[in-house]
């Protein structure tokens, strides 16, 4: 593990980080995902050393850095507002961390040139910061982060401030930086970004890490209502029945079979889109079959997403091949099958 | 309706009143100075400019204020930085203390400083053991000037440092810069215009000081005291000539300052 956070808590005026535990492996691209105000940036700043007096331990390469000054932490942070030095040009901004280390001029120049090239801004070398576009500034800030040589990069919403077109090329840049062997902690509220970049994700809400895992882990099998909701509420339903074997969702009456339902309080039920089967010939034990209307069909890569309506909107996902084999037409009725074993109950 | 080539038809009656009142304030500032220049006879002004006593006093006033400003900046700029960068319980009290020299009468300020450095005090004795004196000496003049003008440097520098985003300093810290390096390589260069402005304000406030200086040092005579001295001894015309010479020198210096700083901005 390159970074380990153990029981981190920190109280600010109107916000609190609560008992954060997080392990990040070397070379991992870890995304901290959550809505604004969730505490993502606070956590990043805390790792970089800008909040003192927190509770808990921060281990970097197994060394306890909890009490280290920001200068000594050997992590590099990319601030959301970039914080470039406005009185220095592009070259001097990137050279700053090296000049501080009093590195010889020849090595310094080589290093700066190298990162100018990686971030594809060699042509902007002598520009003033004020004369750069948003995307160019972002690249300068990324180059300045890289040049300091830290193994761990902390990126605070690095793609939020730029427009959609630039976002794509910057994503490619982040991927290529990751391939250089850097460990990256990337803070965002954007699902697309997360899906595209993350090796692992931690979902953070109200100062707490709600769950961690890969994209598939988290969004196909969310452990919390918050995470399920974060994924556009697809196939996640609130249930108020207590101690019942039958679940009523819209016009669907789902036999829960042996799925355990908590006695106390309500809960939510979730089924992954790929577990909603359409016109499937196989018969499953404990399965529920219904008729539903096909509302829309959209193709994303090799995956086809089908929106169905049966009193409530239900989403199904399948590969293009299996879609082609099944007779699915918009407006037509289809038979959907839900395996009870695949139904997840979420109690948090 | 076009006035001075600008369309002012959008102005309502109310804004006409504002323009009228504002112009009066502007005139109030500029008319006495212009009047002073035009009322003076050129020959008298020239002879004042050639008067050795006048020349000596102008030179004395300028260099003492300059040295006082530069010397005080060593203490004032760090203080401004600390105040701008930290929130502490007694911050308003500290700011109030810094404003004391501005709000008390300058003759009273002079008396206060005199009480601290006169010959029978610890500081006065220490100075005289080194063969120095605060009384009737450039050192005393500088001290009096510094006391009444240092708030202008501190307050302007505080504004400048406050405008440097904290995140930029944090980025420098993250890049490994020590607190001193952050100050000299990031904060001070970014607050440069305000700090420079503060230095100029303190210097100009210093050269114009009369009330506090006269309590500590009538001699050697700085120009504001000389102007008063000439007025009492020789009357308006003679003292006005000295004033014109002094004001001209000051305006010249500030024009040079202005051109230099503006050139750098471009």
């Amino acid at each position: 593990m390159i970074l380990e956070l153990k029981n981190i808590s920190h109280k600010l005026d109107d916000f609190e980080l609560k008992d954060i535990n997080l392990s990040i492996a070397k070379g991992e691209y870890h995304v901290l995902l959550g809505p604004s105000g969730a505490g993502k940036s606070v956590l990043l700043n805390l790792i970089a050393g800008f909040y003192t007096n927190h509770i808990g331990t921060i281990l970097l390469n197994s060394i306890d850095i909890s009490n280290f000054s920001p200068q000594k932490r050997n992590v590099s942070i990319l601030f959301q507002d970039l914080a470039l030095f406005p009185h220095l040009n592009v070259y001097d901004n990137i050279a700053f961390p090296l000049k501080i280390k009093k590195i010889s001029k020849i090595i310094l120049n080589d290093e700066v040139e190298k990162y100018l090239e990686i971030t594809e801004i060699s042509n902007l070398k002598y520009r003033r910061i004020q004369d750069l576009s948003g995307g160019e500034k972002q690249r300068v800030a990324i180059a300045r982060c890289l040049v300091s040589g830290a193994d761990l990069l902390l990126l605070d919403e690095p793609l939020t401030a730029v427009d959609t077109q630039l976002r794509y090329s910057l994503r490619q840049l982040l991927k290529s930086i990751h391939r250089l062997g850097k460990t990256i902690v990337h803070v965002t509220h954007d699902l697309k970004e997360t899906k595209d970049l993350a090796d692992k994700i931690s979902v953070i809400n109200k100062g707490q890490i709600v769950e961690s895992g890969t994209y598939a882990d988290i969004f196909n099998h969310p452990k919390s209502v918050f995470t399920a909701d974060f994924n556009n509420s697809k196939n996640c339903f609130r249930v108020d029945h207590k101690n019942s074997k039958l679940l009523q969702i819209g016009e669907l009456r789902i036999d829960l079979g042996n799925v355990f339902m908590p006695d106390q309080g309500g809960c939510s039920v979730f089924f992954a889109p790929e577990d909603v089967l359409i016109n499937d010939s196989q018969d499953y034990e404990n399965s529920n079959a219904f008729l539903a209307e096909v509302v829309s069909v959209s193709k994303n890569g090799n995956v086809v997403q089908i929106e169905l309506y049966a009193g409530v909107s239900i989403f199904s996902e399948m590969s293009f091949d299996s879609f082609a084999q099944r007779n699915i037409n918009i407006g037509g009725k289809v038979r959907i099958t839900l395996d009870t074993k695949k139904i997840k109950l979420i109690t948090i | 309706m076009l006035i001075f080539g600008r369309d002012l038809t959008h102005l309502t009656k109310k804004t006409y009143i504002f323009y009228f009142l504002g112009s009066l304030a502007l005139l109030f500032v500029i008319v006495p100075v212009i009047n002073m220049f035009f009322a003076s006879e050129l020959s008298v002004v020239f002879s004042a400019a050639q008067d050795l006593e006048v020349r000596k006093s102008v030179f004395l006033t300028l260099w003492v204020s300059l040295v006082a400003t530069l010397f005080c900046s060593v203490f004032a700029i760090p203080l401004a930085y600390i105040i701008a960068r930290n929130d502490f319980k007694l911050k308003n009290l500290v700011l109030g203390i810094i404003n004391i020299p501005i709000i008390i009468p300058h003759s009273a300020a002079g008396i206060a400083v005199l009480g601290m450095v006169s010959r029978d005090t610890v500081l006065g004795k220490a100075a005289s053991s080194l063969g120095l004196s605060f009384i009737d000496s450039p050192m005393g003049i500088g001290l009096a000037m510094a006391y009444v003008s240092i708030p202008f440097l501190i307050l302007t520098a505080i504004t400048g440092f406050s405008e440097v985003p904290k995140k930029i300093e944090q980025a420098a810290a993250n890049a490994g810069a020590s607190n001193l390096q952050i100050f000299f390589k990031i904060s001070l260069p970014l607050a440069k215009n305000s700090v420079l402005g503060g230095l100029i304000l303190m210097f100009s406030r210093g050269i114009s000081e009369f009330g506090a200086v006269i309590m500590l040092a009538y001699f050697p005579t700085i120009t504001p005291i000389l102007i008063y001295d000439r007025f009492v001894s020789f009357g308006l015309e003679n003292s006005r000539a000295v004033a014109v010479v002094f004001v001209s020198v000051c305006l010249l210096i500030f024009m040079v300052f202005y051109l230099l700083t503006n050139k750098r901005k471009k």
Side-chain angles (χ1 to χ4, degrees), chain A residues 28-61:
Chain A
E28 184 174 309
Y29 200 118
H30 197 106
V31 170
L32 287 176
L33 180 68
S36 58
K40 310 178 300 270
S41 295
V42 175
L43 185 58
L44 224 53
N45 279 287
L46 193 136
I47 298 170
F50 297 120
Y51 291 110
T52 46
N53 303 327
H54 58 77
I55 300 165
T57 317
I58 306 172
L59 296 175
L60 185 72
N61 290 318

Side-chain angles (χ1 to χ4, degrees), chain A residues 43-279:
Chain A
L43 185 58
L44 224 53
N45 279 287
L46 193 136
I47 298 170
F50 297 120
Y51 291 110
T52 46
N53 303 327
H54 58 77
I55 300 165
T57 317
I58 306 172
L59 296 175
L60 185 72
N61 290 318
S62 309
I63 299 166
D64 183 359
I65 58 162
S66 313
N67 296 317
F68 284 22
S69 67
Q71 285 92 339
K72 298 208 169 117
R73 296 213 169 189
N74 199 27
V75 298
S76 222
I77 185 165
L78 177 79
F79 289 110
Q80 191 175 357
D81 52 6
L82 306 181
L84 292 169
F85 307 130
H87 60 303
L88 303 177
N89 66 16
V90 170
Y91 184 96
D92 289 332
N93 259 279
I94 300 171
F96 186 85
L98 300 175
K99 281 187 180 164
I100 291 297
K101 287 182 190 160
K102 300 207 164 64
I103 281 167
S104 84
K105 268 194 180 158
I106 303 163
I107 301 174
L108 181 143
N109 191 50
D110 285 353
E111 282 287 293
V112 175
E113 293 286 351
K114 179 175 137 194
Y115 288 107
L116 280 165
E117 217 160 279
I118 289 174
T119 49
E120 295 164 7
I121 45 171
S122 300
N123 54 327
L124 307 173
K125 215 179 351 183
Y126 300 117
R127 288 267 189 94
R128 297 189 316 166
I129 297 301
Q130 299 91 301
D131 299 335
L132 299 178
S133 72
E136 289 165 346
K137 281 183 189 163
Q138 204 86 23
R139 284 169 186 272
V140 177
I142 291 171
R144 189 180 64 184
C145 269
L146 287 172
V147 84
S148 65
D151 292 332
L152 181 64
L153 298 185
L154 309 170
L155 313 178
D156 194 354
E157 303 262 5
L159 306 175
T160 308
V162 291
D163 57 48
T164 330
Q165 285 180 327
L166 278 172
R167 223 173 271 176
Y168 176 76
S169 63
L170 279 170
R171 273 213 305 256
Q172 300 311 311
L173 174 63
L174 293 181
K175 281 180 187 173
S176 67
I177 288 164
H178 183 220
R179 281 196 291 271
L180 292 175
K182 299 281 182 193
T183 310
I184 296 177
V185 181
H186 175 136
V187 155
T188 185
H189 59 265
D190 188 294
L191 269 176
K192 237 183 183 175
E193 223 170 281
T194 308
K195 193 174 185 178
D196 191 26
L197 292 165
D199 293 332
K200 270 187 108 179
I201 302 162
S202 290
V203 180
I204 184 165
N205 186 36
K206 292 180 184 160
Q208 280 177 305
I209 290 185
V210 184
E211 54 192 298
S212 288
T214 63
Y215 190 89
D217 283 346
I218 285 185
F219 289 107
N220 294 345
H221 310 285
K223 291 194 191 96
S224 66
V225 175
F226 173 76
T227 312
D229 272 351
F230 209 80
N231 194 15
N232 299 331
S233 312
K234 278 172 191 160
N235 299 354
C236 181
F237 304 98
R238 185 87 197 144
V239 187
D240 290 319
H241 286 284
K242 279 170 196 168
N243 210 2
S244 164
K245 292 259 176 221
L246 271 181
L247 206 62
Q248 181 85 35
I249 301 169
E251 291 165 12
L252 308 184
R253 282 170 73 87
I254 299 174
D255 180 1
L256 282 174
N258 295 325
V259 176
F260 172 72
M261 187 81 153
D263 296 342
Q264 294 290 315
C267 70
S268 285
V269 55
F270 174 83
F271 28 92
E274 71 261 26
D275 292 333
V276 179
L277 305 173
I278 299 180
N279 290 349

Side-chain angles (χ1 to χ4, degrees), chain A residues 3-20:
Chain A
L3 180 74
E4 281 175 272
L5 304 182
K6 290 183 177 168
N7 311 101
I8 296 286
S9 295
H10 186 55
K11 224 180 146 97
L12 295 170
D13 290 343
D14 49 356
F15 181 76
E16 196 179 357
L17 280 181
K18 279 169 267 175
D19 201 29
I20 302 272

Side-chain angles (χ1 to χ4, degrees), chain B residues 35-191:
Chain B
N35 178 55
M36 182 174 77
F37 274 82
F38 281 103
S40 311
E41 255 182 65
L42 219 55
S43 59
V44 186
V45 174
F46 271 124
S47 65
Q50 279 162 339
D51 184 339
L52 200 63
E53 198 187 5
V54 174
R55 283 187 174 195
K56 260 186 171 171
S57 87
V58 170
F59 186 65
L60 175 78
T61 314
L62 294 176
W63 83 254
V64 172
S65 183
L66 184 67
V67 170
T69 303
L70 293 179
F71 182 74
C72 285
S73 68
V74 178
F75 311 95
I77 293 173
L79 176 63
Y81 186 64
I82 292 169
I83 293 172
R85 271 294 164 252
N86 297 290
D87 282 317
F88 45 93
K89 268 187 185 167
L90 299 176
K91 191 166 177 169
N92 281 333
L93 179 71
V94 172
L95 285 171
I97 291 172
I98 291 166
N99 275 295
I100 286 176
I102 296 178
I103 54 174
I104 63 171
H106 285 185
S107 49
I111 292 291
V113 176
L114 179 65
M116 195 177 68
V117 297
S118 65
R119 290 190 175 99
D120 50 353
T121 63
V122 180
L123 278 176
K125 279 175 189 162
S128 66
S129 71
L130 293 168
L132 300 167
S133 170
F134 285 102
I135 310 305
D136 286 339
S137 75
M139 214 160 74
I141 298 170
L143 195 68
M145 283 178 172
Y147 186 81
V148 294
S149 60
I150 199 168
F152 294 93
L153 172 57
I154 299 171
L155 295 174
T156 322
I158 288 175
T159 314
F161 287 126
S162 305
E163 281 166 4
V164 177
K166 263 190 186 159
K167 276 272 178 280
I168 289 185
E169 291 185 347
Q170 289 184 337
N174 184 248
S178 69
N179 291 341
L180 265 187
Q181 282 172 320
I182 294 171
F183 176 77
F184 281 110
K185 288 181 191 288
I186 304 293
S187 319
L188 190 59
L190 285 177

